C-alpha cells in the first residue's frame, strides 16, 4: 500500500528573503493559533501534520447545499429555510462567488500591508440582508448525533474563528458585513427504522455573533513567526507536538541503554 502522506515537501515554503506574495489560508492561520511550532514546521520547513482522511459524505452534503441555495440565488428569492426561520435575506448573487468558494486555488483574498502575506479563505455561501444590505457569512456543517446540534463544544471554537476570518476578509475587500454569521447544520438521522438507500437530515440554522478583532493581530504574529530564525517550542496542548517530543525522548533513552 502506497503511503498517502508525504512528510517533506519542497514547494510552498515561506522564505523570509522573498518578496513575492505568499498565501496563508484561513486553516493555516487557525493552525498557528493552535500551535505556532506546527505552523512553523509546515509553512517554513515544509513538514506538515499528517492529514485526516477526507469526509466524503460531508463533501456531498456541501455540494448539494450549494446547488440548492444556487437555485434560489439565480431567482433572487429567499430559500425556504430563511423564510421558516424569519431571516430577511436572500442568497447573494455575485460574479466572483465561484472564485470565493474555491479554497484550494483562489478564495477571497487580502494582502497584509507592508508584508508579502496574502490571507485567503474559501467560503461556503454568502447571503445578503434584504433590509440592511449587509453580507452574511454562511458555513455548512454536517454531522450525525443524538439530540440537537449546537456550537457549544470547546473544539467548535475553530468553526467560530473560521466565520470570523471570512467576515474580516470580506470587510477588507470593501463589503459591508453583518456581525452575525449562520451555520447551516445538517444532522443525519440515525433513528430511522430503515435506510432504504437514503439518509435523512434535520437542518438547523444556528446564528453566531462574531468578533473579528483578533484576526489581524494574529496574522501579524504569524508573520513574525514565519520570519523568525528559531523554531517555536513544543506546545503542551498540541497532540502532534507531544507525540514528536515523546518519540524523541524515547529514542534518546533507547540509544543510551
Amino acid at each position: 500500500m502506497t503511503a498517502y502522506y508525504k512528510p517533506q515537501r519542497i514547494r510552498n515554503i515561506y522564505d523570509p528573503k522573498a518578496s513575492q506574495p505568499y498565501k496563508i489560508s484561513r486553516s493555516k492561520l487557525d493552525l498557528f493559533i493552535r500551535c505556532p511550532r506546527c505552523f512553523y514546521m509546515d509553512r517554513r520547513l515544509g513538514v506538515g501534520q499528517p492529514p485526516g482522511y477526507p469526509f466524503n459524505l460531508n463533501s456531498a452534503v456541501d455540494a448539494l447545499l450549494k446547488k440548492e441555495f444556487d437555485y434560489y440565488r439565480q431567482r433572487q428569492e429567499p430559500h425556504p429555510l430563511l423564510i421558516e426561520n424569519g431571516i430577511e435575506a436572500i442568497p447573494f448573487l455575485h460574479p466572483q462567488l465561484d472564485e470565493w468558494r474555491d479554497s484550494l486555488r483562489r478564495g477571497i483574498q487580502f494582502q497584509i500591508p507592508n508584508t508579502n502575506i496574502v490571507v485567503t479563505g474559501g467560503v461556503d455561501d454568502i447571503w445578503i440582508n434584504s433590509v440592511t444590505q449587509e453580507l452574511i457569512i454562511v458555513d455548512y456543517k454536517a454531522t450525525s448525533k443524538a439530540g440537537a446540534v449546537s456550537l457549544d463544544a470547546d473544539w467548535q471554537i475553530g468553526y467560530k474563528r473560521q466565520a470570523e476570518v471570512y467576515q474580516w476578509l470580506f470587510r477588507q475587500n470593501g463589503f459591508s458585513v453583518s456581525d452575525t454569521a449562520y451555520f447551516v447544520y445538517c444532522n443525519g438521522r440515525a433513528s430511522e427504522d430503515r435506510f432504504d438507500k437514503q439518509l435523512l437530515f434535520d437542518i438547523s440554522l444556528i446564528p453566531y455573533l462574531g468578533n473579528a478583532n483578533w484576526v489581524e493581530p494574529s496574522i501579524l504574529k504569524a508573520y513574525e513567526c514565519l520570519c523568525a530564525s528559531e523554531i517555536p517550542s513544543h506546545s503542551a496542548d498540541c497532540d502532534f507536538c507531544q507525540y514528536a517530543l515523546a518519540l524523541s525522548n524515547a529514542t534518546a533513552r533507547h540509544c543510551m541503554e
Side-chain angles (χ1 to χ4, degrees):
M1 180 179 178
T2 303
Y4 78 103
Y5 168 57
K6 295 181 179 180
Q8 178 69 65
R9 71 175 189 280
I10 59 174
R11 299 180 60 185
N12 198 19
I13 295 175
Y14 185 76
D15 180 359
K17 299 178 182 178
S19 59
Q20 64 266 31
Y22 183 83
K23 293 182 179 180
I24 293 181
S25 66
R26 186 277 314 167
S27 60
K28 295 305 179 184
L29 178 60
D30 198 68
L31 174 61
F32 168 73
I33 293 171
R34 288 184 282 112
C35 182
R37 181 183 179 88
C38 285
F39 172 78
Y40 188 96
M41 296 293 293
D42 185 342
R43 297 292 92 188
R44 183 72 188 272
L45 302 183
V47 181
Q49 295 177 345
Y53 283 99
F55 293 97
N56 291 331
L57 185 59
N58 297 51
S59 297
V61 171
D62 181 277
L64 290 171
L65 280 173
K66 286 176 178 174
K67 291 178 183 179
E68 186 174 313
F69 276 94
D70 284 349
Y71 174 88
Y72 293 94
R73 191 184 323 277
Q74 293 303 319
R75 288 157 179 77
Q76 284 296 272
E77 298 174 355
H79 188 286
L81 279 172
L82 298 176
I83 298 174
E84 292 170 12
N85 287 270
I87 300 172
E88 294 187 280
I90 59 174
F92 185 47
L93 182 63
H94 194 281
Q96 288 181 277
L97 181 62
D98 287 339
E99 177 181 328
W100 295 336
R101 283 172 163 174
D102 187 356
S103 60
L104 295 180
R105 290 172 293 273
R106 294 176 294 179
I108 179 81
Q109 302 183 10
F110 180 73
Q111 180 161 351
I112 305 300
N114 303 316
T115 78
N116 65 337
I117 299 298
V118 176
V119 183
T120 72
V123 70
D124 282 340
D125 207 347
I126 302 291
W127 303 335
I128 183 168
N129 188 296
S130 304
V131 177
T132 67
Q133 296 299 296
E134 290 180 319
L135 298 190
I136 300 170
I137 301 300
V138 182
D139 201 64
Y140 304 149
K141 298 298 180 187
T143 188
S144 181
K145 58 174 288 186
V149 293
S150 71
L151 298 174
D152 297 336
D154 290 341
W155 59 269
Q156 288 174 309
I157 184 63
Y159 290 175
K160 299 172 184 178
R161 286 197 294 255
Q162 180 180 14
E164 289 165 345
V165 171
Y166 296 152
Q167 289 174 333
W168 181 86
L169 279 169
F170 275 89
R171 287 177 182 134
Q172 302 313 304
N173 278 267
F175 292 97
S176 178
V177 181
S178 172
D179 287 334
T180 300
Y182 280 90
F183 290 87
V184 181
Y185 224 130
C186 302
N187 188 13
R189 301 178 191 168
S191 59
E192 297 296 315
D193 294 332
R194 297 171 60 89
F195 178 41
D196 285 334
K197 297 187 290 185
Q198 63 178 342
L199 180 59
L200 301 178
F201 288 86
D202 293 316
I203 302 181
S204 302
L205 291 189
I206 303 179
Y208 171 65
L209 186 61
N211 182 347
N213 292 339
W214 63 271
V215 176
E216 187 165 350
S218 296
I219 295 168
L220 294 176
K221 290 179 182 178
Y223 173 63
E224 292 176 3
C225 178
L226 286 176
C227 293
S229 57
E230 294 185 3
I231 301 174
S233 301
H234 290 87
S235 173
D237 297 326
C238 175
D239 291 340
F240 291 94
C241 276
Q242 292 307 303
Y243 171 74
L245 188 59
L247 192 66
S248 177
N249 292 339
T251 302
R253 288 195 302 270
H254 181 75
C255 292
M256 295 176 61
E257 292 177 354

